[in-house]
Amino acid sequence: MDTKVKQENKCDTEVKQSAIESLETLGPYILEQDNAKNFVYVSDIPQLCKDDPCMLGVDEAGRGPVLGPMVYGIAFCPLSKKDILKQLGFADSKQLTEEKRDQIFDEMNRKDFAKEALGWAVEAISPNVISMSMLRRTKHSLNEVSMDSAIGLINSAIEAGVNIAEVYVDTVGPPEKYQAKLKAIFPKFKITVAKKADSTYPIVSAASIAAKVTRDHALKVWKFRERPNEEVNTFGSGYPGDPITKKFLSEIDLVFGFPRLVRFSWSTAGNALEKKAYNMEFEDEADAKDAQKASYGSEKLSKYFAASKNENRKRHEFFRDRCLEHVVDI
């Protein structure tokens, strides 16, 4: 991956270490974060996860919606304690009700038997960062953003001392290519990348629930910088088919467009802006400064290195002999 992209992503991410001890403390923790940047949270690491070989699962929530963060999650526990995953009732988070997901998340952070053998971490990727990554001059696709987050979270677990032996990942793109990429980065681990891994491997389901519950509560406590009087969640689920989301997207500021909640790199948002918003041209600050400097009566040094537009240079004889002319329009 491009080193520059790595550095920019690192600058956009805040690592916080305040404890999330229950579902009740999740919302207040998220509320303290700057929602224009990414943030990473790593739970306390059980001693068993440092001493015994562990399995680690990776999954995401919020990849498709037109608004809100995309959240990547990991969960890990000793191979010898995998029965805890069944005891907590982990299953594909999309097949569980919101109430059931919240209940499981609360229990995995409160129950002693869970805290002694299960850990987790999430990265909330800001819609602002997603949009800037996808629209920058050197494009950074959503798949690349996703893979970077997954790799970063695995590294966070390693740095925290988790004794990883096996890694299970819900795929982004072709599973074979993704698995080969991860295997090259983490050659000591047994790595399995599969489609719908969250419904096959309970440890991936645990990661999925951590990611999904974090995203749900990030939307519930979202703070608008642009609309300070906005009521809580007037924007729906964020999926383009949601009538509440459709209504929210129709309310466009004709000059500034959407608030940062919206992923303006999505075609749904872009099409809405093209239909309703004004075409705006903002003067680049650097251009304005250059123009100001040039107006003081001193010519810019660069002028002496540029050819005059009216300069008639004699063409080289190679071109004259062959009657070759410079073609502007074809």
Side-chain angles (χ1 to χ4, degrees), residues 41-53:
Y41 175 82
V42 181
S43 74
D44 291 337
I45 310 297
Q47 189 60 43
L48 273 176
C49 292
K50 297 180 179 181
D51 296 337
D52 296 352

Side-chain angles (χ1 to χ4, degrees), residues 191-244:
I191 296 177
T192 302
V193 178
K195 295 179 180 179
K196 298 183 178 180
D198 51 350
S199 59
T200 306
Y201 304 102
I203 194 64
V204 180
S205 302
S208 178
I209 286 176
K212 180 65 175 169
V213 173
T214 300
R215 173 178 155 81
D216 287 347
H217 285 262
L219 292 177
K220 287 180 180 179
V221 300
W222 186 271
K223 292 183 296 184
F224 284 94
R225 296 183 178 188
E226 308 86 350
R227 305 177 182 180
N229 298 322
E230 187 82 17
E231 295 180 7
V232 175
N233 197 344
T234 57
F235 41 79
S237 65
Y239 287 94
D242 185 336
I244 300 176

Side-chain angles (χ1 to χ4, degrees), residues 255 278-284:
V255 175
Y278 298 139
N279 289 323
M280 303 295 296
E281 290 186 10
F282 295 94
E283 187 180 52
D284 185 29

Side-chain angles (χ1 to χ4, degrees), residues 151-210:
I151 293 166
L153 286 172
I154 295 171
N155 278 322
S156 294
I158 295 171
E159 291 169 6
V162 180
N163 183 7
I164 302 171
E166 300 177 4
V167 176
Y168 299 88
V169 184
D170 194 50
T171 193
V172 171
E176 298 82 9
K177 289 185 178 180
Y178 193 7
Q179 183 166 312
K181 179 184 179 76
L182 291 176
K183 192 65 180 175
I185 299 171
F186 306 109
K188 295 182 180 180
F189 304 155
K190 175 188 174 184
I191 296 177
T192 302
V193 178
K195 295 179 180 179
K196 298 183 178 180
D198 51 350
S199 59
T200 306
Y201 304 102
I203 194 64
V204 180
S205 302
S208 178
I209 286 176

Side-chain angles (χ1 to χ4, degrees), residues 38-280:
N38 300 354
F39 74 81
V40 172
Y41 175 82
V42 181
S43 74
D44 291 337
I45 310 297
Q47 189 60 43
L48 273 176
C49 292
K50 297 180 179 181
D51 296 337
D52 296 352
C54 291
M55 64 177 77
L56 181 147
V58 183
D59 201 7
E60 54 76 26
R63 180 179 170 85
V66 68
L67 54 79
M70 175 172 69
V71 179
Y72 254 81
I74 62 171
F76 43 87
C77 78
L79 295 169
S80 60
K81 296 289 185 179
K82 57 185 177 182
D83 288 346
I84 289 176
L85 302 175
K86 294 181 180 179
Q87 189 175 347
L88 286 167
F90 286 117
D92 182 358
S93 66
K94 301 178 187 66
Q95 297 177 1
L96 301 174
T97 64
E98 182 179 351
E99 291 76 15
K100 186 61 177 177
R101 290 194 299 267
D102 284 352
Q103 177 190 334
I104 294 174
F105 181 87
D106 192 54
E107 290 180 352
M108 65 189 276
N109 285 282
R110 291 172 69 107
K111 298 284 188 180
D112 288 339
F113 74 89
K115 292 192 296 180
E116 291 172 358
L118 180 65
W120 59 279
V122 291
E123 179 177 23
I125 305 169
S126 162
N128 189 54
V129 172
I130 292 172
S131 297
M132 290 192 297
S133 297
M134 295 178 68
L135 294 177
R136 59 161 52 113
R137 183 171 297 175
T138 304
K139 305 295 184 186
H140 201 54
S141 71
L142 189 63
N143 279 1
E144 291 173 309
V145 172
S146 300
M147 292 179 184
D148 290 348
S149 182
I151 293 166
L153 286 172
I154 295 171
N155 278 322
S156 294
I158 295 171
E159 291 169 6
V162 180
N163 183 7
I164 302 171
E166 300 177 4
V167 176
Y168 299 88
V169 184
D170 194 50
T171 193
V172 171
E176 298 82 9
K177 289 185 178 180
Y178 193 7
Q179 183 166 312
K181 179 184 179 76
L182 291 176
K183 192 65 180 175
I185 299 171
F186 306 109
K188 295 182 180 180
F189 304 155
K190 175 188 174 184
I191 296 177
T192 302
V193 178
K195 295 179 180 179
K196 298 183 178 180
D198 51 350
S199 59
T200 306
Y201 304 102
I203 194 64
V204 180
S205 302
S208 178
I209 286 176
K212 180 65 175 169
V213 173
T214 300
R215 173 178 155 81
D216 287 347
H217 285 262
L219 292 177
K220 287 180 180 179
V221 300
W222 186 271
K223 292 183 296 184
F224 284 94
R225 296 183 178 188
E226 308 86 350
R227 305 177 182 180
N229 298 322
E230 187 82 17
E231 295 180 7
V232 175
N233 197 344
T234 57
F235 41 79
S237 65
Y239 287 94
D242 185 336
I244 300 176
T245 300
K246 282 184 178 179
K247 182 177 182 299
F248 178 82
L249 292 175
S250 69
E251 300 169 353
I252 300 173
D253 185 296
L254 297 182
V255 175
F256 296 105
F258 294 114
R260 289 186 176 186
L261 173 71
V262 177
R263 303 176 188 175
F264 49 86
S265 55
W266 257 233
S267 60
T268 306
N271 292 338
L273 289 172
E274 287 182 5
K275 288 179 182 178
K276 289 191 173 184
Y278 298 139
N279 289 323
M280 303 295 296

